[in-house]
Amino acid sequence: MNISFLSTIVFIAVFAAVVLVHELGHFIVARLRKVEVEEFGFGLPPRVLTLFHWKGTAFTLNWLPFGGFVRPRGENDPSVPGGLAASSPWTRLAVLFAGPLMNLLLGVLVFSLLFHQMGVPDYSQVQITDILPDSPAARAGIQVHDVVLRANDMPIHDAAQLRQIIYSNLDRPMELTLSRGGAVIHLTATPSSARTEEEGALGIAMGPALVPARSVFQIVGYGSLAVYGQTRALVLLPAQMLRGQINSEDSRFIGLKGIYDLFGQAVSRDVRSRETSPASASSEAQPPTFFTLQLIGVLTVSLGVFNLFPIPALDGGRILFVLPELLLHRRVPPNLENIVHAVGMALLLAFMLYVNVMDFLNPAVIGLP
């Protein structure tokens, strides 16, 4: 199958699924809290047809295949009985939180599947995660995914220890014992003092080795930690941007084209890592990559966290208007709230338009590791 066509199918399917999971969270909790839902749309309007009705909800198919939407009854009008706006503040909070929460739970599932496929980190072993071209490591025959067992006959248990040994042997040959695909390999590499700190004396990047998980609970635990780590990074990102701690190009927003380009790279890398050829069969086999699965996890967590930001029209902005009612027992006037959300939605759409146009006029240069 053509990789570009496959990338397009994967991108549309993943993007639609991530948004639908978000809307499914709103729908499930709304129904559980006795809030009537008028429509659950697959895709975005205009409508193609109504698939069926269930308990007062019309399930519709729409022309644009990017996700979906939920339309609760009386979403913005508290005078509509049985509607969302007429419900208690706790019910509205539950419905609003449900969408982002479903994205985060999906993130746990995706990252857990990723750890099941790749293995969980063992911090007592050091694995080579990247090698710079034309570096001492590359010339010595070291490969990505090699596990360093010994350096100059000293057992290696963490990256700091290996780094210390490397820089204690600048311009002198080092004996390395590596584990590669179950086989033990002995190599000699010479760290170079002429290389910059960014390049590294050997030209390698290191990390904990990935080993098979001992149980489902361990896999889910690491999946949860991955979601927590990404959530924390996204929450701290605005403050880091304001302080100038992150390069403007690294913190740039990307739109549909930018995300599509990333999926194109991910799918291409994953497909090629699974291809077999006479050349690859004669060389040491390398484990397959899982960039697409990683990107799905990143996308669903990003959508969940971004929707919780206190921006009008998003779930987080709507939650912000519910909090005074809980704390002060007084509701913000619905007309004022609707105006704020309408203005927020207009500004948000303008920003999204700008981001997507810039994806074409000045594409972001984003490369997978």
Side-chain angles (χ1 to χ4, degrees):
M1 181 183 291
N2 182 276
I3 290 182
S4 295
F5 177 73
L6 179 61
S7 300
T8 302
I9 296 299
V10 170
F11 167 71
I12 293 175
V14 168
F15 199 89
V18 167
V19 176
L20 279 173
V21 164
H22 180 96
E23 299 300 334
L24 184 62
H26 291 314
F27 174 78
I28 291 174
V29 174
R31 296 299 309 183
L32 289 175
R33 300 292 296 183
K34 310 301 183 185
V35 175
E36 297 181 31
V37 178
E38 295 180 340
E39 183 178 0
F40 190 116
F42 296 91
L44 299 178
R47 183 184 299 184
V48 179
L49 55 89
T50 299
L51 299 172
F52 60 91
H53 286 83
W54 180 74
K55 294 187 176 182
T57 301
F59 289 81
T60 63
L61 182 66
N62 299 271
W63 278 109
L64 300 178
F66 296 105
F69 63 93
V70 167
R71 185 158 56 85
R73 179 182 172 128
E75 183 176 9
N76 300 310
D77 187 357
S79 66
V80 177
L84 180 62
S87 302
S88 72
W90 289 110
T91 293
R92 280 178 278 144
L93 277 182
V95 173
L96 291 169
F97 269 112
L101 180 60
M102 282 289 282
N103 283 125
L104 297 180
L105 290 176
L106 177 61
V108 172
L109 177 63
V110 171
F111 281 113
S112 296
L113 180 59
L114 181 66
F115 283 114
H116 172 69
Q117 296 291 332
M118 296 180 61
V120 297
D122 179 355
Y123 293 95
S124 67
Q125 300 185 62
V126 178
Q127 190 169 44
I128 306 300
T129 59
D130 193 21
I131 298 175
L132 293 179
D134 196 31
S135 62
R139 291 192 291 271
I142 299 173
Q143 298 183 9
V144 174
H145 302 299
D146 284 350
V147 176
V148 183
L149 302 178
R150 305 177 76 86
N152 279 354
D153 209 32
M154 291 186 62
I156 298 300
H157 299 295
D158 62 68
Q161 177 195 13
L162 178 57
R163 176 182 171 83
Q164 182 179 10
I165 295 174
I166 290 172
Y167 280 89
S168 298
N169 289 273
L170 292 176
D171 303 320
R172 297 201 303 266
M174 274 180 56
E175 300 295 329
L176 295 172
T177 303
L178 312 172
S179 174
R180 180 182 301 166
V184 176
I185 309 292
H186 299 278
L187 296 174
T188 300
T190 305
S192 173
S193 61
R195 297 174 61 83
T196 65
E197 185 176 351
E198 289 74 18
E199 294 173 327
L202 272 185
I204 60 173
M206 301 172 282
L210 297 175
V211 300
R214 296 189 299 272
S215 68
V216 173
F217 296 105
Q218 187 183 27
I219 293 173
V220 174
Y222 275 106
S224 302
L225 285 174
V227 170
Y228 167 76
Q230 190 188 341
T231 300
R232 184 175 183 273
L234 288 169
V235 170
L236 295 176
L237 182 62
Q240 292 174 331
M241 292 171 62
L242 291 174
R243 295 192 195 110
Q245 295 175 327
I246 298 180
N247 185 289
S248 58
E249 191 64 26
D250 293 336
S251 58
R252 174 179 165 178
F253 287 93
I254 59 172
L256 291 176
K257 180 183 179 298
I259 298 172
Y260 172 78
D261 290 343
L262 275 176
F263 268 98
Q265 292 184 52
V267 171
S268 177
R269 293 276 291 273
D270 289 348
V271 168
R272 287 172 184 167
S273 73
R274 288 160 175 79
E275 290 176 344
T276 57
S277 64
S280 63
S282 61
S283 61
E284 296 291 343
Q286 293 293 319
T289 60
F290 298 92
F291 289 112
T292 305
L293 201 55
Q294 288 177 271
L295 199 51
I296 294 172
V298 168
L299 181 61
T300 186
V301 174
S302 298
L303 179 64
V305 174
F306 182 72
N307 265 279
L308 286 175
F309 283 174
I311 300 172
L314 295 182
D315 294 327
R318 294 181 181 276
I319 289 169
L320 200 62
F321 276 89
V322 179
L323 296 181
E325 190 173 351
L326 290 175
L327 299 174
L328 305 176
H329 304 288
R330 293 185 61 183
R331 185 166 187 165
V332 175
N335 290 338
L336 174 61
E337 181 179 352
N338 292 336
I339 291 172
V340 172
H341 290 318
V343 172
M345 178 59 76
L347 293 175
L348 190 60
L349 289 174
F351 176 71
M352 291 172 62
L353 178 63
Y354 168 77
V355 169
N356 281 279
V357 169
M358 289 303 295
D359 272 354
F360 288 92
L361 298 182
N362 183 25
V365 180
I366 306 174
L368 297 174

